[in-house]
Amino acid sequence: MKKVLIYVLAILGYCTTINAQSIIDADEQRNPNDFYERGNVIGKKAMPYPSLRKSDVVWDRVIWREVDFNEKFNQFFFFPVNNETSTQGRISLINLIMKGVRNGEIPVYEDDDMVKELDLAEAMKLLVGDPYNKRVEALDENGQPIYDEEIDDYVMKDSLVTRSFDSTSVMKIRLKERWYIDKQDTRQKVRIVGLAFQYLKETLTGGQALEWSFWIPMDDMRVRNVFVNANAYDENNDVVERSYDDVFIQRYFDSYIIRESNVYNRSISDYLTGEDAILESQRIEDEIFNVESDMWEY
């Protein structure tokens, strides 16, 4: 009996030691900002889309829409504004994209057909353009302009000017989507196939002009694996861990349609403006959502 009691106490003592050691180790490795254990986000893989055969698609429509960061619901895309580094585990959508592009993790294409892929040099050239020469005042060792009495003017020189990309200038993204009906389950579904962003580009005259960036393939697993490892902010609950991949799949954003596939290959703004353009955008939206019910109505 004594031997059994000693054996039981030895086991309990061993388990207590292991448990205590685990607690100590956990306390040493725990982030001081967290009072509970968080899951490790880094290294997650996005879940692939289910296989889809062309013969199963009975209806298909291509839609282009825009997401404006100025709208309150979409502001989580814009913040934080720091450059490609996370703040409290968060990073803005554009900084995440640019970080992935520079690291070679996100492929980019010239246009929304996504046929011609660009390398990093070509992508950055598209964003900021080539360096250019500009006549500027020559400065002395004290940083002061040099005045030449012989020519009665300041000395000028050629200076190579390189332009940079400012992620905080991006206030709008454009999505290319394919809405379709799968006859296997008779449901209407959507996949976002491409994304581009609008930004302010410095012109040769020193001004700024709105331009559209390259396109990234949103159904590419390389892109989705980058997005799934970065969480978007939820202003109502800090514990919510919704990745940017979840945001687009769950359509957690506010947007409006700017174009649908049509025989003229034109956008709404090409034939309507103002309130008429808004009503046309809503008409297309309503038409898409009515297709499923109209198709199976007796």
Side-chain angles (χ1 to χ4, degrees):
M1 185 65 182
K2 288 183 178 180
K3 289 183 179 181
V4 174
L5 182 60
I6 293 172
Y7 180 72
V8 172
L9 292 175
I11 293 177
L12 291 174
Y14 177 76
C15 292
T16 303
T17 302
I18 294 297
N19 187 47
Q21 186 63 42
S22 299
I23 293 174
I24 293 173
D25 292 343
D27 287 340
E28 290 175 351
Q29 298 174 6
R30 183 176 61 83
N31 188 324
N33 292 310
D34 293 334
F35 64 92
Y36 53 85
E37 183 179 353
R38 290 180 180 265
N40 185 17
V41 177
I42 304 301
K44 289 200 304 185
K45 298 292 183 182
M47 182 176 294
Y49 290 122
S51 178
L52 179 67
R53 299 181 304 173
K54 183 179 180 180
S55 58
D56 288 335
V57 178
V58 296
W59 175 86
D60 181 22
R61 178 63 58 89
V62 181
I63 295 293
W64 289 261
R65 66 175 67 241
E66 290 182 0
V67 180
D68 192 343
F69 295 172
N70 286 307
E71 294 190 26
K72 180 175 173 52
F73 189 83
N74 298 327
Q75 287 183 355
F76 67 89
F77 284 116
F78 183 77
F79 296 101
V81 296
N82 55 303
N83 186 26
E84 297 180 22
T85 57
S86 63
T87 299
Q88 297 180 343
R90 296 190 293 113
I91 185 171
S92 70
L93 175 65
I94 304 305
N95 281 327
L96 176 66
I97 290 174
M98 293 307 302
K99 182 179 180 180
V101 170
R102 290 191 174 97
N103 292 341
E105 299 171 320
I106 292 181
V108 297
Y109 292 85
E110 186 177 41
D111 52 37
D112 62 357
D113 288 331
M114 286 176 279
V115 174
K116 182 183 177 182
E117 187 171 354
L118 306 176
D119 58 27
L120 178 58
E122 292 172 324
M124 296 309 297
K125 179 180 178 179
L126 183 65
L127 284 182
V128 301
D130 291 319
Y132 62 96
N133 284 318
K134 184 178 181 181
R135 296 288 289 175
V136 298
E137 291 181 340
L139 304 179
D140 60 20
E141 57 185 10
N142 297 319
Q144 298 299 318
I146 302 173
Y147 184 79
D148 190 339
E149 294 182 355
E150 292 185 3
I151 62 174
D152 192 23
D153 202 353
Y154 288 100
V155 178
M156 305 295 290
K157 69 172 185 177
D158 287 332
S159 178
L160 189 65
V161 178
T162 57
R163 291 166 287 185
S164 60
F165 170 72
D166 180 13
S167 63
T168 62
S169 71
V170 178
M171 297 304 299
K172 188 179 293 185
I173 59 174
R174 181 172 291 175
L175 303 177
K176 180 181 181 181
E177 305 172 335
R178 294 194 76 112
W179 288 80
Y180 64 96
I181 290 180
D182 186 349
K183 72 177 182 181
Q184 293 296 329
D185 54 11
T186 64
R187 290 177 55 197
Q188 186 183 63
K189 302 175 184 177
V190 59
R191 288 192 190 179
I192 300 175
V193 296
L195 179 150
F197 53 84
Q198 189 182 56
Y199 65 103
L200 281 174
K201 184 176 182 179
E202 184 182 345
T203 63
L204 294 176
T205 58
Q208 291 182 319
L210 285 171
E211 299 283 351
W212 284 98
S213 71
F214 44 70
W215 283 79
I216 67 172
M218 293 291 285
D219 58 346
D220 191 304
M221 289 303 296
R222 291 171 293 179
V223 177
R224 294 190 59 210
N225 285 335
V226 172
F227 280 22
V228 81
N229 283 288
N231 286 336
Y233 182 66
D234 190 308
E235 65 176 352
N236 298 313
N237 190 350
D238 286 348
V239 79
V240 172
E241 293 186 350
R242 181 185 288 109
S243 71
Y244 282 109
D245 188 55
D246 296 328
V247 165
F248 288 108
I249 290 178
Q250 299 171 8
R251 306 189 66 76
Y252 192 77
F253 54 83
D254 195 9
S255 64
Y256 53 91
I257 293 175
I258 61 164
R259 178 185 170 191
E260 65 173 337
S261 53
N262 60 85
V263 66
Y264 305 108
N265 196 29
R266 61 183 182 178
S267 301
I268 294 175
S269 60
D270 293 332
Y271 59 95
L272 290 173
T273 59
E275 185 178 350
D276 291 333
I278 296 174
L279 293 174
E280 176 70 359
S281 175
Q282 188 59 51
R283 183 195 67 77
I284 297 172
E285 193 87 62
D286 295 339
E287 185 179 81
I288 290 172
F289 283 104
N290 289 333
V291 165
E292 182 179 16
S293 58
D294 292 345
M295 183 170 289
W296 307 115
E297 185 177 2
Y298 292 99

